[in-house]
Amino acid sequence: MSRSDHLPAAPGVHPGAAGADVEVPRPGPEDPRTPAGTARLAGAAVALVVLLTAVAAAAGWHLTQGTSAVGFGDLVGLLTGREDIDAGTRDVLVGSRIPRLAAGLAVGFALGVAGALFQSLARNALASPDTLAVTAGAHFAVSAVAAFGLAVPLAASGAVATAGGLLAALLVLGLAGGSGTSTTRLILAGTAVALALQAATAALLILFAQETTGLFAWGGGSLSQLGLEAFQRATPVVLVATGGALLLARRLDLLGLGDDTAGVLGVPVRSTRLIGTVLAVLLTAAAVTLAGPIGFVGLAAPVLARLVSRAVPALQRHVVLIPAAGLVGALVVVLADAVMRAAIGADRAISIPTGITTTLLGAALLVFLARRGRDSGPTRQPPGTGAMARTARRFWIVLALCASAVAGVAVLGLLAGNTWLRTGDVALWLAGEGSPFLRFALDERAPRVAAALLAGAALALSGSLVQATCRNPLAEPGLLGITGGAGLGAVVVAGGAGAGGTATLLAAAAGSLLAFAVVYGLAWRGGLDTDRLVLIGIGFWYGSMAVTTYLLLRANPFDTPRIFTFLSGTTYGRSWSQVLPVAVLLLVAVPLAVVVRRELDLLALDEDTPRLVGVGLERVRLLVLTVAALLAAASVIAVGVVGFVGLVAPHLARALVGGRHARSVPVSLLVGATLLGVADVVGRTVLAPAELPAGLAVALIGAPYFVYLLSRSRA
């Protein structure tokens, strides 16, 4: 029996499913002729009317926000048919503001209903179109169609987005183990697939920049519309899918009691889950097609509606919850867009996607939900992720082979490029001889090779420390917010005048440490719960990415390609001054890891064993995570934001030499260096003279292993 996470689940979920501690409503509707039934119906009616009124008020305010001097009186005049409304005012309202409002209402409603379906089907309050990678799948599908120059009408693009979202959702649910899975597993599976799809999408945006013009801003979610045509085509899909969801309401109420109970009560569980998933994906795809990926509305809207259900119990019934979640979603999107336009001005807000605001809201909500959960005890190591003990002879053989691989990759990195060199050329360069072209080429390549190898080793060591400390074999620096904080800190100064390597290093280090301090502080509640640490870190990661996107869009257009490439992970233009900090930190961190190898072995076991043998648990944990944060910060300076290495390298090392950190850490260092070194060579040569950033290459290489790892570690 799998351990529950003790985090809030969907209403109607029984306490044994996903650790929920909410009250389970009795299956079946209340008889409306009884006082209790009448009170429930009245409460539901009042709640829906209040939500409708709030949406109407927000919509009215939204229509008054814009670049032209059109106010509430003009809106009333248009609605009442006043004759003194001039053509210009009418064009502003009908041609721009009403389509934008209509898009916001449709997108918010669709995502709210989709989120309610996903959370009920997964019996998990943290499931959403984002955490199940539906938006990333739809975004990738649309980007792929644009990249390859396929001109399709809106209806066809909706079908493309639907197919991409459906495949992504099915993959995530399959990897996570289906419904009733633990919160951490569901979030990690969705994050893994989303990261891989986002890397592939970013690669398309870089390699096919001309064909995908405008898709980067669109990828943040934008309500800008040229008319009502797109809204009119998306609305029937939203209405039909919502109607289908309402028809499933009774089944969803019973499904919350568990698969077995629902089956006994006559619910066809498999078909219900399949139909519900398809409906949710249709809703998400319609929203993505209309306004691009608007983040976290699908998470926030159902959760907010369920919070209201404490005061209005009727909202626990899906027949009421589904439209309520849709209305809350519409309210969130419209308010987020209006608040942003009112706060920074309509002129500046035009270039800022609405999805940034909603993502920040969802990230805060994810942190709030994780903090609400009670401590769930030690993290269980999923089956299939452990490593068998290996012999000392095997360790030395593997270590020698890995060291040889690093040396080979270093030589290959010096030889590879637009012009391939020979080993004799490298020997001449080392001797200070050779032609000017040869010296120039190797002077440019050498720091890049060193940056890739050292940053890969730093990320691998950071991942080893994080996984041991959190006792979570699926954790890595990026999932704890460390990489996101470092990247955000670096981007803050990257576009500034006179920003150099030292300033960027200090900013990245400060961002990494600040992210670590925030995540660690929020996760601490009389002790550190590792699942909570991971979830809060993911929330911080999403929030930092939203802010980073905002800064990228606000940056000087001439700086945008450079910053975007930096965020994708690259070794281009690296100098020895940017490589030196990583080397210095490794010289300090590697001996430290050797010194605390016994403590790391104990931390990886459980909470109690380290205390029984006299280990200062929190002191060691704080030290280790601080070192991991510094290593991640230094790697960001060397190669930008790179994911997957901190996850994949420690697992490969444990599979090769066993789980003892005295053996796995040095092998992990060499594996990480090899992996990022190979990714850098691939990125520089496969598409030459164009380059694929090393971070995207390593994500595309590491994603299949992540998928394999999750499939083996199903509970």
Side-chain angles (χ1 to χ4, degrees):
M1 185 178 193
S2 64
R3 177 183 59 79
S4 67
D5 286 295
H6 297 287
L7 287 172
V13 177
H14 140 312
D21 52 5
V22 295
E23 180 180 355
V24 181
R26 289 180 297 164
E30 295 277 2
D31 187 343
R33 294 170 295 182
T34 65
T38 303
R40 275 183 175 273
L41 289 176
V46 170
L48 292 177
V49 169
V50 169
L51 284 174
L52 281 170
T53 303
V55 171
W61 180 42
H62 184 278
L63 287 173
T64 64
Q65 302 297 315
T67 55
S68 59
V70 177
F72 187 75
D74 298 313
L75 172 62
V76 174
L78 178 67
L79 295 176
T80 57
R82 230 170 53 202
E83 296 182 357
D84 60 340
I85 300 297
D86 60 77
T89 300
R90 186 182 301 274
D91 289 341
V92 168
L93 289 172
V94 176
S96 174
R97 296 192 186 177
I98 290 179
R100 186 181 183 96
L101 172 63
L105 293 172
V107 167
F109 190 89
L111 292 176
V113 175
L117 284 173
F118 276 129
Q119 290 178 12
S120 297
L121 292 170
R123 295 201 296 275
N124 195 310
L126 295 177
S128 75
D130 303 287
T131 54
L132 270 74
V134 176
T135 48
H139 189 192
F140 171 74
V142 172
S143 299
V145 168
F148 293 107
L150 302 177
V152 295
L154 178 63
S157 65
V160 170
T162 301
L166 180 60
L167 291 175
L170 293 177
L171 176 60
V172 170
L173 288 173
L175 294 176
S179 67
T181 185
S182 73
T183 300
T184 302
R185 172 170 296 279
L186 185 71
I187 297 294
L188 286 173
T191 301
V193 176
L195 283 173
L197 291 172
Q198 288 164 3
T201 301
L204 292 176
L205 295 180
I206 291 175
L207 298 176
F208 300 92
Q210 186 173 1
E211 293 83 356
T212 59
T213 301
L215 278 182
F216 178 74
W218 177 84
S222 175
L223 297 181
S224 298
Q225 302 289 313
L226 298 177
L228 287 171
E229 291 78 10
F231 167 77
Q232 291 169 347
R233 296 189 182 187
T235 299
V237 176
V238 175
L239 294 178
V240 170
T242 302
L246 290 173
L247 293 177
L248 290 178
R250 168 72 175 178
R251 294 186 183 183
L252 294 174
D253 288 338
L254 298 176
L255 195 63
L257 301 176
D259 290 356
D260 294 338
T261 303
V264 170
L265 294 174
V267 175
V269 175
R270 290 184 178 274
S271 63
T272 299
R273 184 163 289 115
L274 176 62
I275 295 171
T277 300
V278 171
L279 292 174
V281 171
L282 283 172
L283 289 163
T284 304
V288 171
T289 304
L290 185 57
I294 292 186
F296 268 119
V297 176
L299 169 68
V303 171
L304 292 174
R306 283 171 171 137
L307 290 176
V308 178
S309 70
R310 296 182 176 182
V312 186
L315 287 177
Q316 294 176 353
R317 300 290 179 179
H318 282 84
V319 71
V320 183
L321 174 66
I322 288 172
L327 291 173
V328 172
L331 181 63
V332 168
V333 172
V334 171
L335 276 180
D337 192 44
V339 167
M340 179 179 63
R341 301 176 89 187
I344 67 175
D347 291 328
R348 297 170 63 187
I350 290 175
S351 61
I352 307 301
T354 308
I356 291 177
T357 310
T358 58
T359 298
L360 287 173
L361 172 64
L365 184 61
L366 180 60
V367 172
F368 169 74
L369 283 175
R371 279 188 55 80
R372 280 186 75 226
R374 299 177 304 208
D375 288 348
S376 53
T379 301
R380 174 182 56 83
Q381 180 173 342
T385 60
M388 297 177 61
R390 307 294 186 182
T391 63
R393 179 185 177 189
R394 179 188 177 96
F395 164 68
W396 289 110
I397 292 175
V398 169
L399 190 67
L401 291 175
C402 289
S404 301
V406 171
V409 170
V411 174
L412 181 63
L414 292 174
L415 301 180
N418 289 335
T419 302
W420 281 77
L421 304 178
R422 300 178 179 179
T423 52
D425 297 327
V426 176
L428 288 174
W429 172 71
L430 291 174
E433 302 176 2
S435 66
F437 169 77
L438 176 64
R439 292 197 300 271
F440 174 80
L442 288 174
D443 285 343
E444 188 269 340
R445 292 179 189 178
R448 300 185 66 172
V449 173
L453 295 178
L454 292 175
L459 287 170
L461 178 55
S462 179
S464 297
L465 298 177
V466 169
Q467 289 179 11
T469 306
C470 294
R471 293 192 311 278
N472 192 324
L474 301 179
E476 56 110 5
L479 295 181
L480 295 180
I482 295 175
T483 305
L488 177 59
V491 170
V492 167
V493 301
T502 302
T504 306
L505 169 62
L506 293 176
S512 177
L513 292 175
L514 179 60
F516 161 70
V518 171
V519 171
Y520 195 93
L522 290 174
W524 178 273
R525 288 181 57 186
L528 185 67
D529 179 68
T530 53
D531 285 347
R532 185 185 301 120
L533 183 68
V534 171
L535 294 174
I536 291 176
I538 290 173
F540 188 91
W541 179 77
Y542 274 111
S544 65
M545 290 301 295
V547 176
T548 300
T549 302
Y550 170 78
L551 294 176
L552 184 60
L553 292 172
R554 292 289 307 277
N556 187 323
F558 294 101
D559 292 328
T560 300
R562 175 173 60 89
I563 300 174
F564 183 59
T565 302
F566 174 81
L567 292 174
S568 301
T570 181
T571 61
Y572 180 78
R574 289 299 178 263
S575 64
W576 290 111
S577 64
Q578 293 167 311
V579 176
L580 182 61
V582 191
V584 172
L585 275 172
L586 282 173
L587 288 176
V588 175
V590 172
L592 177 64
V594 173
V595 171
V596 300
R597 63 191 184 280
R598 173 177 171 271
E599 286 78 2
L600 291 175
D601 290 339
L602 294 172
L603 286 175
L605 294 176
D606 53 41
E607 289 283 322
D608 298 326
T609 303
R611 292 191 176 98
L612 291 175
V613 297
V615 173
L617 185 62
E618 300 305 334
R619 176 176 55 82
V620 174
R621 184 179 279 161
L622 177 61
L623 172 65
V624 168
L625 287 179
T626 301
V627 172
L630 289 171
L631 288 168
S635 72
V636 168
I637 300 307
V639 295
V641 180
V642 173
F644 281 115
V645 175
L647 170 75
V648 173
H651 278 286
L652 287 175
R654 286 194 293 269
L656 291 171
V657 298
R660 290 177 54 190
H661 287 84
R663 297 178 179 179
S664 66
V665 166
V667 173
S668 177
L669 285 164
L670 297 174
V671 169
T674 303
L675 181 59
L676 192 53
V678 169
D680 179 54
V681 172
V682 169
R684 286 194 282 128
T685 57
V686 170
L687 301 175
E691 288 194 19
L692 181 66
L696 300 183
V698 79
L700 294 174
I701 294 171
Y705 180 78
F706 202 116
V707 170
Y708 168 73
L709 174 67
L710 283 170
S711 65
R712 287 192 60 196
S713 63
R714 290 171 60 175

